[in-house]
Amino acid sequence: KQGGEGTIPATETNEKALYGTNTKPPFVWVGVGFADATRVAFAGALHLSPYLHVVPADLLPFKPLLSKLGVRDFFGSDDYVELLQLLRDDAGDSHPLSQNRLDMALWVLGSIADRPGGGWRETTKDENEKGLPIPDVNGVLTSSKELRFNDAPWLPSPDGVRLTHAKIPHSTAEALGVQSLRLALLRESSEDIGLEWSDQNLGTNLVAFGQSEPLTTRLRHILDAYSDGPGVISELVQNADDAGASEVRLLLDTRGASELGTDSLLSPKMKTWQGPALLAWNDATFSHADFHNVARIGQDSKVDRPSTAGRFGLGFNAVYHFTDLPSFVSGDYLVLFDPHAAYLPGASAAKPGLKIKFHDAAPAKKPPNSYSKQQSNLLTQFPDQFAGYKDVFGCDLLNTYHGTLFRFPLRTADAARLSEIKQETYPVSSVRELFAKFQESAARTLLFLKNVRKIGVYEIATATALTSSSDEESAWSQEIQPALLYEVCIPGFEHDTDPRAAVANWVAGETENGETNSRKTFLDKLQRATDEALPHACGWMDLDVRTRGGALNSTAGDVSNSTAGNASNSTTGDELNVNTNNVTIDRQRWLISTAIAGGNPKKMSLSDAGRKRGLVPWVGVAARVPRDERDDVSPTKTKGTAFCFLPLPVKTGLPVHVNAYFELSSNRRDVWHGTDTSGGGETRGLWNLTLLRHAVAPAYAALIASAAQRLALSEGRAGFSFDTSVGQQRGYYDLFPGADDAALKNSSPPEPWVQALPPLYALLVNTPCLRALDPTKGSEKTEKWILPKHGVFPDVSSPELMKSFSSGGDLASAFGKIGLMILKDVPDGVANAFRTYAPAEHVQVASPKTTRVLLKQKTPSELTNALEWKQVLALLSYCLSDIDMRNPHGAHDLQDLPLLPLADGTLGVFQIEDNRGVATRQRNVKYVPKNATEFSLFCRGDATTSILDFSLFEKLGHLDTYATLVKLATSTAGGCGNVRVVDDEGLVDLLPLLLPSEWGVLVDGKVVGCGRAVVWDGFVDDEANSRGDTSANS
């Protein structure tokens, strides 16, 4: 029997191999052939053939013999290492392993790594020095010395670096001697010395500090995702909001190197950054964790805090658009970053920055020139270096700073040429342009934040030179005078209650030690809560946009010396727009609906995928609304923007802004959607759709319901927010997506935003959000708010119908009197949106067809008792308007319609028969006199029950409707109907009703009254004609 590779066929077994010799090892039977006894063990994996084998069970009784031949109890590390070498030899240095052999190698590597205490290193010293053969990302066996395991998946793989196979756990790779990618990157850049401060002048207050992953290429990639523009400022505002700040200030410091000084810098190279800068201040102080997190690239600590919107941890690095040397002061520390490790003394790629404790850090014995016992030596020895901070927004670098002040010196041409991050200058003009662009979105930046209530933008009005006077304390005390350019603030809320607070506080919570909820705490809380108990709120919030044409000197002193501002006191009064003292104030009001969603979003948040990705079912919707009757605003002026707490450069096509805990695209410029399912894309896309359908739609519906309720409550009162005038009603209806008729005809909201519309309108049909004419009131113009599904959308396909369906119109009155409420003043775009997106069974739209269906449910007497004749004729005209006179079956929809006004004052019923042979008088024919003369001829006696009342049509101005009936009677469609003109057959039918009754009455085939038989069927008997007897027809 032939064996597999690495075994010897049984027929070739020889005595020497079996008993052992000095030239060949013994061979033993392994079930499929003979194998080298040194490659056989009594226990082990069964899938390592042809390299290693296990003794078959039926040979275990011969264990003593086999042991003598060299079979071991189990394999050792050296066996597994040799197996890997054989795998590499068989496959070659550049060819990937087959799937089976790759699985074998992975199993073997796991077994080696699991050896306690790294014993394999001792038994395989030579291989340890060369490196174990380990599969790389392509399955090629490569020396472990040449591989890195990817413990930094957020970083792109650098050129020339080979990564281990994805199926090898990091712990296994590390145990096998593979170096981590992160450590490798840092070590490759660690040739420069670290921060070793031996200079006594520097003291012990300066320690090595910096971002632990400071690759300039990584920062460059981040800038590719975070494009320059107002979004960078928004990121700074978001970070301040996450830190709990209530106010943010931005300042353009135009002072140059000559004004700040260049003599006493930490190093000569720092002169490059001694010039104009962008500063960002907020009134929150860094915590210990904040210092740790800001020094990391791609840190995900915010993922564990569901209340922090900037949970991605990359946004701060967008400031490298401005600078290569960001720095900040907060608490007792001043921190400087130098990603290039080229400007700060002693900075290295591993520790590219400094962390200076400037407060309470003076040596025990004050130096002669020290003017404060709490001032750091660095501040006295290098005053020019820190001049950019002194006396800006209350920063003195002497005491603990209760706030945070960032300084971003602008990249000059010299710095740009050397930059590996961005080789573009950022002049003062670019900052002014940035401020101007941010002004367009500054107000809406505050809409969905949790803490920040005021953002001010300033520029230093006049440069204040910090001289090298010997009186340093005097020189440092000169105040910087910032001039206000503009600011946005929230002066107040409805009932002094922030509508966003209920949700934000519920998410953040507070633990016993005063810290906000961790994600686990939040998810446990979410899981316990019923859907009904989840927080939601709706209310208005005022925003003031304050713009100044010149320097605000009277305010600048107060601003520069304060570290916090009162956002609510920025503006006073009720004026909508104020222009005093060169300051213009634009007052806005926003209606905001926020919620934590239950249902599907809650379930998905609590799923394994949701927990892993940190999904939170938190949504909000904001719409611009009037402050009072003078405020002529419309939501259609609001170009709906998507928010992930910050505004995104995404237009939704909706008349409201939409905020949610969205999953964003890889460049963080769009909301994830589409069919891309790679990298968890399916889960991300499904989450966003779930939010739109089951969270955003209910919040949006709640906002519209709240607006309707406010409008209803304010009716009849002066000075309310939503006026009942047509113009302000239009403003209300502009809240509905689809209100812009032109936009609706051309396009719907783009994906994925259109996905919110069907569930939104499904909710709105059950929400009292539309007005209707109330038929229960005496006045035709009385209105009330109803559920749209209980009303009828009017037909506005022509100006005449629009008028008739409007308040007081004949059709509107007619519908009301038969118990149907016509929805009033609903714009065509809104009505179209209900028809397009709401469930069809809940949307009633007036049309001739639907009107016929409704009226057939009424009896003639019910209609005559309820309606005036002008309303009857209006309904008749409307029901006839779509009849196809040329179609033989065109009039079938008129069957049983009780709308024929007869001369006797009753209503006749349309009858449409398929059988044209039925005798006229059997079809309950109703005759249409062709003109007034014919009508006067036939309008007498009992014939009034069979002819239409021409005079009524004439009197009420409906001769065109009457003409339509005449046309119907003579048309192809009306050929089977009971509405006929008076022809020969009709005259025969009418004569018994027209002639005097004393002429005789036909009873059971006999004439009673005149004493002689009279035939009235209109036919002359041939026999009578032949006799010349005309009595039968007299």
Side-chain angles (χ1 to χ4, degrees):
K1 179 179 179 179
Q2 297 295 323
E5 182 183 353
T7 60
I8 300 176
T11 56
E12 298 180 7
T13 303
N14 58 73
E15 190 173 350
K16 291 182 179 180
L18 181 61
Y19 294 106
T21 69
N22 294 328
T23 58
K24 286 187 178 181
F27 286 79
V28 298
W29 180 253
V30 292
V32 292
F34 289 91
D36 186 338
T38 61
R39 296 187 183 182
V40 183
F42 291 105
L46 300 178
H47 61 284
L48 301 182
S49 176
Y51 304 102
L52 298 176
H53 308 272
V54 176
V55 173
D58 54 354
L59 294 183
L60 290 178
F62 304 98
K63 183 175 181 179
L65 172 62
L66 295 175
S67 296
K68 288 287 186 179
L69 294 176
V71 177
R72 291 164 292 165
D73 290 335
F74 50 81
F75 298 115
S77 297
D78 52 343
D79 298 306
Y80 290 139
V81 171
E82 183 181 6
L83 185 150
L84 292 171
Q85 293 170 338
L86 293 173
L87 281 174
R88 180 176 57 189
D89 293 342
D90 290 345
D93 293 334
S94 59
H95 293 85
L97 298 175
S98 66
Q99 186 60 50
N100 289 339
R101 296 201 172 188
L102 175 62
D103 292 340
M104 181 187 299
L106 294 176
W107 186 92
V108 167
L109 289 169
S111 297
I112 294 175
D114 289 341
R115 298 284 171 167
W120 67 274
R121 299 177 186 269
E122 298 297 327
T123 59
T124 58
K125 289 184 179 180
D126 292 341
E127 198 64 31
N128 187 29
E129 294 176 358
K130 299 176 183 178
L132 285 174
I134 295 177
D136 68 3
V137 69
N138 296 315
V140 177
L141 284 171
T142 307
S143 170
S144 59
K145 301 294 184 180
E146 301 175 19
L147 293 175
R148 303 290 180 264
F149 66 85
N150 191 3
D151 65 338
W154 59 88
L155 293 175
S157 178
D159 294 337
V161 174
R162 298 181 71 173
L163 300 177
T164 57
H165 195 276
K167 290 186 177 180
I168 299 178
H170 293 175
S171 58
T172 298
E174 188 173 24
L176 296 173
V178 179
Q179 192 177 34
S180 76
L181 174 60
R182 183 171 62 183
L183 289 177
L185 292 174
L186 293 175
R187 287 175 180 172
E188 287 175 2
S189 303
S190 64
E191 294 179 1
D192 294 337
I193 62 171
L195 296 176
E196 298 176 356
W197 297 105
S198 59
D199 190 333
Q200 295 300 316
N201 291 329
L202 294 178
T204 59
N205 300 317
L206 192 60
V207 296
F209 183 81
Q211 293 162 303
S212 59
E213 298 156 7
L215 298 177
T216 52
T217 52
R218 175 58 176 157
L219 293 174
R220 186 169 65 249
H221 293 157
I222 290 175
L223 297 189
D224 290 339
Y226 285 83
S227 61
D228 185 19
V232 181
I233 295 179
S234 296
E235 292 287 351
L236 295 173
V237 173
Q238 183 66 75
N239 286 334
D241 189 65
D242 287 342
S246 64
E247 183 179 357
V248 174
R249 297 174 189 160
L250 303 165
L251 171 67
L252 171 58
D253 183 353
T254 59
R255 293 175 295 170
S258 61
E259 295 159 309
L260 295 174
T262 58
D263 294 333
S264 53
L265 302 178
L266 289 177
S267 75
K269 292 183 179 180
M270 291 295 288
K271 182 178 179 180
T272 304
W273 301 101
Q274 198 74 348
L278 170 62
L279 288 86
W281 171 90
N282 68 74
D283 59 358
T285 305
F286 263 48
S287 66
H288 176 76
D290 291 331
F291 280 108
H292 174 72
N293 293 333
V294 77
R296 302 181 62 197
I297 298 177
Q299 59 89 11
D300 58 356
S301 65
K302 290 186 179 182
V303 174
D304 193 48
R305 292 184 290 162
S307 62
T308 55
R311 62 196 188 278
F312 306 98
L314 293 172
F316 170 76
N317 296 289
V319 302
Y320 287 101
H321 279 295
F322 316 139
T323 186
D324 289 354
L325 201 82
S327 58
F328 67 91
V329 173
S330 189
D332 296 330
Y333 294 94
L334 187 151
V335 173
L336 302 97
F337 291 120
D338 179 11
H340 291 91
Y343 300 101
L344 291 174
S348 67
K351 295 293 182 180
L354 303 176
K355 182 181 179 183
I356 305 168
K357 187 173 185 180
F358 63 83
H359 176 249
D360 195 23
K365 186 176 181 179
K366 293 191 299 180
N369 294 330
S370 176
Y371 60 85
S372 171
K373 66 178 181 179
Q374 292 183 316
Q375 184 179 0
S376 167
N377 285 341
L378 290 174
L379 304 183
T380 59
Q381 294 168 352
F382 304 98
D384 290 347
Q385 183 66 68
F386 308 108
Y389 286 100
K390 285 287 294 182
D391 299 309
V392 177
F393 298 138
C395 179
D396 60 12
L397 292 177
L398 299 175
N399 304 291
T400 298
Y401 190 56
H402 298 292
T404 299
L405 178 60
F406 291 93
R407 182 176 179 85
F408 309 118
L410 303 181
R411 187 182 293 110
T412 64
D414 291 338
R417 281 192 295 271
L418 299 174
S419 178
E420 298 176 8
I421 299 174
K422 187 172 184 178
Q423 292 188 330
E424 295 179 18
T425 62
Y426 212 93
V428 167
S429 60
S430 294
V431 178
R432 291 192 176 114
E433 183 180 351
L434 178 68
F435 283 175
K437 291 181 179 179
F438 180 69
Q439 186 173 4
E440 300 172 3
S441 61
R444 71 170 185 254
T445 299
L446 292 178
L447 284 176
F448 298 107
L449 297 180
K450 303 170 291 300
N451 301 297
V452 174
R453 294 182 59 177
K454 184 178 180 181
I455 302 174
V457 178
Y458 302 83
E459 182 173 335
I460 291 182
T462 58
T464 303
L466 297 180
T467 66
S468 56
S469 167
S470 60
D471 186 358
E472 289 180 299
E473 190 164 4
S474 174
W476 281 62
S477 65
Q478 298 181 60
E479 294 182 354
I480 306 303
Q481 299 292 320
L484 176 69
L485 301 178
Y486 61 87
E487 71 177 16
V488 293
C489 65
I490 304 173
F493 305 98
E494 184 178 20
H495 307 308
D496 294 324
T497 301
D498 187 346
R500 307 163 303 174
V503 173
N505 293 339
W506 197 90
V507 174
E510 188 170 304
T511 61
E512 294 181 357
N513 58 7
E515 296 182 354
T516 57
N517 277 336
S518 67
R519 178 160 304 282
K520 182 180 184 304
T521 304
F522 164 75
L523 292 175
D524 291 343
K525 181 179 180 181
L526 180 65
Q527 190 163 27
R528 292 192 304 268
T530 64
D531 287 358
E532 294 74 18
L534 294 174
H536 57 88
C538 188
W540 56 254
M541 177 179 80
D542 283 339
L543 283 177
D544 283 359
V545 181
R546 187 181 184 194
T547 307
R548 187 173 183 87
L552 190 61
N553 293 326
S554 61
T555 307
D558 295 336
V559 170
S560 64
N561 288 311
S562 65
T563 59
N566 188 343
S568 63
N569 292 332
S570 294
T571 59
T572 59
D574 296 326
E575 295 82 358
L576 293 176
N577 291 282
V578 181
N579 193 332
T580 60
N581 297 325
N582 207 24
V583 176
T584 300
I585 303 174
D586 174 28
R587 294 194 165 102
Q588 304 175 6
R589 177 159 291 175
W590 291 82
L591 189 62
I592 297 180
S593 173
T594 61
I596 293 294
N600 290 340
K602 175 184 174 183
K603 293 178 182 177
M604 195 166 181
S605 183
L606 294 171
S607 68
D608 290 341
R611 291 173 182 270
K612 180 179 179 180
R613 295 203 63 84
L615 306 181
V616 180
W618 184 350
V619 297
V621 178
R624 177 79 183 274
V625 296
R627 287 174 68 119
D628 56 39
E629 65 273 14
R630 299 170 297 167
D631 193 359
D632 184 19
V633 301
S634 171
T636 56
K637 298 178 183 178
T638 301
K639 303 303 181 182
T641 300
F643 284 67
C644 189
F645 298 89
L646 287 172
L648 299 169
V650 178
K651 299 301 180 184
T652 64
L654 304 173
V656 296
H657 297 313
V658 175
N659 175 64
Y661 230 87
F662 288 121
E663 286 287 285
L664 303 181
S665 60
S666 57
N667 64 359
R668 292 182 41 76
R669 306 292 291 171
D670 197 1
V671 172
W672 187 280
H673 68 280
T675 58
D676 185 1
T677 59
S678 62
E682 183 176 13
T683 299
R684 300 169 71 183
L686 179 60
W687 168 251
N688 289 338
L689 287 179
T690 302
L691 283 179
L692 287 172
R693 292 168 178 167
H694 304 289
V696 171
Y700 196 167
L703 182 142
I704 291 177
S706 177
Q709 184 181 28
R710 295 163 195 276
L711 187 55
L713 292 175
S714 64
E715 291 173 351
R717 298 203 315 248
F720 48 82
S721 297
F722 294 97
D723 192 14
T724 55
S725 66
V726 174
Q728 292 295 350
Q729 283 188 45
R730 176 68 194 187
Y732 163 71
Y733 284 119
D734 284 344
L735 294 172
F736 292 74
D740 186 341
D741 297 349
L744 187 70
K745 292 175 183 176
N746 295 330
S747 63
S748 297
E751 290 288 349
W753 311 103
V754 70
Q755 298 295 326
L757 268 56
L760 169 63
Y761 280 97
L763 292 168
L764 290 178
V765 293
N766 291 289
T767 302
C769 60
L770 297 182
R771 294 175 187 270
L773 301 173
D774 189 355
T776 64
K777 305 295 183 181
S779 170
E780 293 180 350
K781 295 186 178 181
T782 302
E783 305 164 7
K784 69 176 181 179
W785 292 85
I786 67 167
L787 308 183
K789 69 178 182 180
H790 291 162
V792 178
F793 286 95
D795 186 343
V796 292
S797 57
S798 70
E800 294 77 15
L801 286 174
M802 290 178 64
K803 180 179 179 181
S804 189
F805 273 108
S806 64
S807 181
D810 290 339
L811 285 174
S813 301
F815 272 77
K817 289 186 175 181
I818 60 176
L820 298 173
M821 291 177 282
I822 292 295
L823 297 168
K824 178 182 179 292
D825 297 329
V826 179
D828 190 33
V830 175
N832 285 339
F834 272 98
R835 289 194 293 267
T836 303
Y837 299 110
E841 64 272 19
H842 293 321
V843 179
Q844 300 182 75
V845 181
S847 69
K849 183 178 181 66
T850 58
T851 302
R852 290 190 293 266
V853 172
L854 293 170
L855 292 175
K856 289 177 186 180
Q857 302 172 17
K858 306 292 183 180
T859 65
S861 60
E862 288 175 335
L863 292 180
T864 53
N865 291 334
L867 302 174
E868 299 177 17
W869 283 112
K870 65 177 181 178
Q871 296 159 357
V872 171
L873 296 185
L875 289 171
L876 175 60
S877 175
Y878 188 52
C879 289
L880 292 174
S881 63
D882 68 339
I883 298 301
D884 184 1
M885 303 291 185
R886 295 170 297 180
N887 187 341
H889 303 288
H892 280 190
D893 268 0
L894 295 175
Q895 175 70 28
D896 297 328
L897 182 66
L899 274 186
L900 291 172
L902 302 178
D904 67 347
T906 64
L907 285 174
V909 179
F910 281 93
Q911 297 291 329
I912 308 297
E913 302 289 347
D914 288 328
N915 185 1
R916 292 175 176 267
V918 178
T920 298
R921 59 174 55 92
Q922 293 178 346
R923 289 189 287 163
N924 193 21
V925 175
K926 306 302 178 186
Y927 292 98
V928 188
K930 295 178 180 178
N931 49 49
T933 302
E934 191 170 289
F935 172 71
S936 63
L937 178 64
F938 295 121
C939 184
R940 62 189 70 239
D942 293 338
T944 58
T945 63
S946 297
I947 66 171
L948 271 66
D949 191 348
F950 175 87
S951 63
L952 180 67
F953 288 85
E954 184 178 40
K955 176 182 178 181
L956 298 179
H958 272 273
L959 289 179
D960 54 343
T961 305
Y962 194 85
T964 302
L965 286 170
V966 173
K967 183 179 180 180
L968 174 67
T970 58
S971 69
T972 301
C976 298
N978 67 332
V979 177
R980 306 294 298 274
V981 296
V982 183
D983 54 9
D984 293 346
E985 185 178 354
L987 182 59
V988 171
D989 193 32
L990 287 173
L991 277 177
L993 305 176
L994 293 170
L995 296 179
S997 59
E998 60 269 19
W999 285 19
V1001 179
L1002 186 65
V1003 178
D1004 295 332
K1006 297 181 179 181
V1007 176
V1008 179
C1010 65
R1012 59 192 178 86
V1014 180
V1015 179
W1016 295 101
D1017 59 5
F1019 296 97
V1020 178
D1021 188 282
D1022 289 340
E1023 183 179 355
N1025 284 334
S1026 65
R1027 294 195 308 268
D1029 184 0
T1030 59
S1031 60
N1033 298 306
S1034 60

